[in-house]
Amino acid sequence: AREPGWWRSAVVYQIYPRSFADSNGDGIGDIPGITAKVDYLASLGVDVVWLSPVYASPQDDNGYDISDYEDIDPTFGSLADLDALIAALHARGMKLVMDLVVNHTSDEHAWFQESRDPASPKRDWYWWRAAREGSEPGAEWAEPTNWASFFSGSAWQLDERSGEYYLHLFSRKQPDLNWENPEVRQAVYAMMNRWVDRGVDGFRMDVINLISKQPGLADGEAAPGRRFAPAFERFANGPRLEEFLQEMNAAVGLDARHLLTVGEMPGSTIELARRVTDPANAELNMVFTFEHVGLDAQPGGTKWDLAPLHLPVLKQNLASWQEGLAGVGWNSLYWDNHDQPRAVSRFGDDSAEFRVVSAKTLATVQHLHQGTPYVYQGEELGMTNTQFVDISSYRDIESVNYHAEAMSLGLEAETVMRSLAARSRDNARTPVQWDDTSHAGFTQGIPWLPVNPNYVYVNAAAAVADEDSTFHHLRRLIALRHELPVVVEGRFALLLPDHEQLWAFTRTLGEQVLLVVANCSSLPATVPAGALPDVTGARLLLSTHPGAASAELAPWESRVHLVG
Ligand code: ISL
Ligand code: CA
């Protein structure tokens, strides 16, 4: 049974099925592979599994290009396999959340195939536009707008069949659905209802703030010498977004059936997120913000333009979301997902000396903010970024396209490879490291993406056997959330906001104060005298090092005290 608001005290574990566990030796993870690991997930203590897409798909963007919402891709298994997974999770008190990718379909979806015919009743289901006025279709500069696709090149593709262009904010094989058309919306809601009837417990909604486009489809401002403009503000967060979300909520019974809903909303402001997650508005439970994963890029640049991350900026950003949503909406908390580099390599220190302890401390900081934490597969093991040295190792469409475009623009090869090493989505997509046997126990065949060579010591079997591992640290954090209401409901306050090494905050509920102090650096740090609440007599709930009383914190040391 689903209790109202149950997701506030839940921890979600994200699975990227392709890279989780392969049951049949074809080198690609699959649903039976997941079902074989549900006891592992239960032992970690997570409440919910979110599955990245397993629907029928040509796999141009690893399943985020769906050709049939009603079926499972044979690569991953069958509907019967999914039913078995749902049953296995439910039997252990866990829930299943599915990815919902409805900003776009695959170009191989039957809806789009019909839509290519200008006389079809589905023509208006997608964004078809004539060439720019005065231009021949297919000529240079003839695209209806100068928008860049997220995956390089134009966001418009000419279809020879009608001589018109269709919009694809992602790859050419991901045409955007036209949510202005009510038939599109009803078709999506009907599909969602069928999944809920089948037993799924919620949805993670892919780029949901792109379903309402800004009217007018205005050009963006291209950088000097560039043909296409990243024109996010020209199409995202359109005026009908909240109307569509409310309509969806009512039509599917998202709130009435106590489903978990989380909207992926790049470019969402705190103000928008507060409205969307305010239960009174009946839209979504929570959203994924992107602000904190953009702080290590150059302002005004793209994710590939690397810049150093400053701890005060990061912790103040999270604090502003804590304060902005407090008492009204609800935060989601994440470092990692299938689109981001590995947290320990990005925010921690993945050297042999500090990998484990920095992964633990990052988890402590994340899980003890207010909101619902998301754990990405392998994060519980402190898995690190890839060690690819050659472009031919990369598989992600975004990385491969970026490399080609950057090289054609004359960027230095070394700079491009450095950006890929730091930012490629493939960092998160190498197979989960289960043990120290060949291919880390992920497959009996050849993995679709090479296993990180550090699997010989970074693997689940080793972590589960070691009480001091990241796995057990995370398990304790999850248990704390389930035991202590202050972890779920406590009011957040940031301490020492400008400290360059220490991340310290309190959570307060009634008489209870949870104090978190973490050294987020690879050098020792000293707590300034009198800067933190007195912890004499307080209970030490969790720490990374023995002897947690001194004012000196070792590199990446963290402590959690409960006062009162
Ligand atoms: O990955 C990103 C950073 O480079 C984002 O631009 C990302 O594409 C964006 O957050 C949307 O992501 C989601 O939709 C995409 C899909 O490729 C991603 O995997 C998914 O999480 C298109 O469906
Ligand atoms: Ca397989």
Side-chain angles (χ1 to χ4, degrees):
R2 307 182 194 108
E3 303 293 326
W6 61 271
W7 37 269
R8 290 164 71 99
S9 58
V11 176
V12 182
Y13 186 95
Q14 181 192 353
I15 289 182
Y16 195 65
R18 168 172 292 271
S19 304
F20 190 70
D22 175 22
S23 72
N24 63 353
D26 67 355
I28 303 177
D30 44 53
I31 297 171
I34 300 168
T35 306
K37 300 290 187 189
V38 288
D39 285 325
Y40 170 82
L41 300 173
S43 72
L44 186 57
V46 297
D47 307 275
V48 181
V49 169
W50 149 31
L51 270 196
S52 274
V54 289
Y55 311 97
S57 162
Q59 305 290 328
D60 187 53
D61 185 19
N62 290 355
Y64 283 90
D65 49 316
I66 297 169
S67 52
D68 186 353
Y69 290 115
E70 314 281 340
D71 208 354
I72 302 296
D73 197 281
T75 308
F76 298 126
S78 63
L79 281 166
D81 291 331
L82 189 80
D83 290 340
L85 173 60
I86 293 175
L89 289 169
H90 286 176
R92 288 160 182 79
M94 290 185 279
K95 296 183 164 65
L96 183 75
V97 160
M98 295 285 269
D99 222 303
L100 181 80
V101 188
V102 290
N103 172 68
H104 44 269
T105 67
S106 164
D107 63 335
E108 297 181 33
H109 195 292
W111 297 346
F112 186 75
Q113 289 302 319
E114 281 181 52
S115 180
R116 291 183 61 200
D117 175 357
S120 147
K122 290 208 172 56
R123 182 64 169 181
D124 184 51
W125 282 37
Y126 294 83
W127 293 83
W128 291 100
R129 289 293 183 277
R132 191 181 284 267
E133 230 182 304
S135 295
E136 281 304 307
E140 239 194 320
W141 307 97
E143 293 87 5
T145 71
N146 70 347
W147 299 350
S149 145
F150 285 102
F151 296 158
S152 304
S154 172
W156 295 94
Q157 173 66 34
L158 176 66
D159 188 18
E160 300 290 349
R161 173 156 180 190
S162 62
E164 288 195 331
Y165 292 80
Y166 64 86
L167 177 67
H168 61 88
L169 293 174
F170 294 90
S171 98
R172 259 177 313 201
K173 291 185 64 62
Q174 293 167 298
D176 280 54
L177 279 167
N178 176 18
W179 276 67
E180 304 293 325
N181 184 318
E183 291 173 22
V184 168
R185 307 202 296 273
Q186 293 310 322
V188 169
Y189 307 153
M191 172 270 284
M192 292 172 73
N193 268 304
R194 284 189 284 275
W195 284 109
V196 178
D197 293 343
R198 199 163 194 115
V200 319
D201 303 290
F203 298 99
R204 174 272 186 188
M205 304 182 184
D206 194 65
V207 285
I208 202 67
N209 59 329
L210 303 187
I211 60 176
S212 170
K213 318 290 191 224
Q214 296 288 350
L217 309 191
D219 276 344
E221 272 170 57
R226 299 289 172 98
R227 179 90 174 64
F228 303 114
F232 204 79
E233 64 295 342
R234 298 283 201 270
F235 52 74
N237 302 321
R240 300 187 70 186
L241 173 61
E242 294 183 72
E243 173 200 334
F244 293 161
L245 291 175
Q246 286 167 359
E247 183 184 71
M248 175 196 282
N249 195 317
V252 186
L254 296 176
D255 285 353
R257 294 153 101 177
H258 306 303
L259 299 168
L260 182 153
T261 53
V262 53
E264 190 205 25
M265 306 228 306
S268 169
T269 58
I270 293 176
E271 293 67 47
L272 175 61
R274 183 173 47 223
R275 289 201 306 275
V276 167
T277 66
D278 181 346
N281 294 333
E283 295 171 32
L284 301 177
N285 300 153
M286 50 198 145
V287 306
F288 289 131
T289 161
F290 278 65
E291 287 186 356
H292 70 296
V293 290
L295 301 175
D296 51 2
Q298 285 168 32
T302 69
K303 68 183 249 181
W304 307 109
D305 303 314
L306 310 181
L309 178 71
H310 298 294
L311 184 68
V313 176
L314 176 63
K315 60 191 185 181
Q316 288 171 27
N317 180 271
L318 288 202
S320 65
W321 279 78
Q322 294 282 296
E323 284 148 24
L325 270 51
V328 180
W330 193 251
N331 274 291
S332 64
L333 307 168
Y334 77 94
W335 294 133
D336 241 343
N337 62 44
H338 65 292
D339 293 334
Q340 299 293 332
R342 285 288 180 180
V344 70
S345 300
R346 182 186 204 176
F347 301 110
D349 179 339
D350 64 6
S351 68
E353 196 177 0
F354 297 127
R355 183 186 64 84
V356 168
V357 68
S358 67
K360 288 181 185 175
T361 284
L362 285 173
T364 297
V365 168
Q366 176 202 359
H367 284 249
L368 297 178
H369 275 69
Q370 188 178 48
T372 298
Y374 289 73
V375 178
Y376 178 65
Q377 64 183 34
E379 194 173 7
E380 77 278 18
L381 309 175
M383 278 180 62
T384 65
N385 278 353
T386 59
Q387 303 177 29
F388 295 166
V389 289
D390 198 276
I391 182 62
S392 66
S393 305
Y394 288 94
R395 289 285 169 277
D396 172 34
I397 182 169
E398 183 192 47
S399 300
V400 171
N401 289 2
Y402 168 70
H403 182 266
E405 185 171 81
M407 296 312 285
S408 79
L409 286 168
L411 270 71
E412 249 182 82
E414 215 181 289
T415 312
V416 175
M417 290 306 289
R418 209 176 319 118
S419 293
L420 286 174
R423 288 286 182 280
S424 170
R425 305 195 298 180
D426 282 336
N427 281 313
R429 300 178 180 185
T430 60
V432 170
Q433 297 161 203
W434 292 105
D435 57 38
D436 63 2
T437 65
S438 79
H439 304 304
F442 163 72
T443 181
Q444 301 293 329
I446 306 297
W448 73 276
L449 194 65
V451 170
N452 192 310
N454 64 19
Y455 77 90
V456 288
Y457 58 94
V458 181
N459 64 64
V464 168
D466 174 6
E467 274 294 316
D468 268 339
S469 67
T470 52
F471 178 92
H472 287 290
H473 186 85
L474 189 61
R475 182 178 60 69
R476 290 182 193 108
L477 273 168
I478 294 170
L480 278 186
R481 165 172 303 265
H482 293 152
E483 285 157 19
L484 294 177
V486 67
V487 173
V488 180
E489 304 294 346
R491 188 163 35 80
F492 176 93
L494 184 65
L495 307 172
L496 297 171
D498 298 316
H499 202 285
E500 304 273 347
Q501 293 173 284
L502 294 175
W503 196 332
F505 56 89
T506 53
R507 302 283 310 282
T508 306
L509 184 68
E511 298 293 291
Q512 281 198 326
V513 180
L514 196 71
L515 171 68
V516 178
V517 52
N519 178 2
C520 292
S521 82
S522 301
L523 296 168
T526 309
V527 179
L532 301 182
D534 185 13
V535 292
T536 26
R539 194 148 68 94
L540 180 67
L541 295 179
L542 194 66
S543 64
T544 51
H545 291 65
S550 88
E552 181 97 344
L553 274 82
W556 295 103
E557 176 171 1
S558 56
R559 308 167 181 168
V560 182
H561 281 102
L562 184 63
V563 189

